[in-house]
Amino acid sequence: MAIVGTTIFSHILPVIFGLFALILIISGSLEDNNPKLGLGVVLFVIACIFPYLVLSVLI
């Protein structure tokens, strides 16, 4: 049985991380700012993997 609150980790936080990642990727590529672009890519990967890591522990 799933724990109450898994919706936060499966639907809400990844979307927020993904949104900030896309903003950083677009901003970093337009300004030729490689650290910002790299941070956006890393944050996007974290947003993709985050639900699997957290939910496997919670469920």
Side-chain angles (χ1 to χ4, degrees), residues 2-49:
I3 298 173
V4 176
T6 56
T7 304
I8 294 171
F9 295 108
S10 66
H11 289 85
I12 297 172
L13 287 178
V15 171
I16 293 171
F17 287 162
L19 177 68
F20 283 128
L22 289 176
I23 291 171
L24 286 172
I25 290 171
I26 292 169
S27 176
S29 65
L30 289 176
E31 296 175 0
D32 292 330
N33 190 349
N34 287 337
K36 193 184 288 187
L37 179 64
L39 179 64
V41 170
V42 169
L43 191 61
F44 189 79
V45 170
I46 290 172
C48 293
I49 296 174

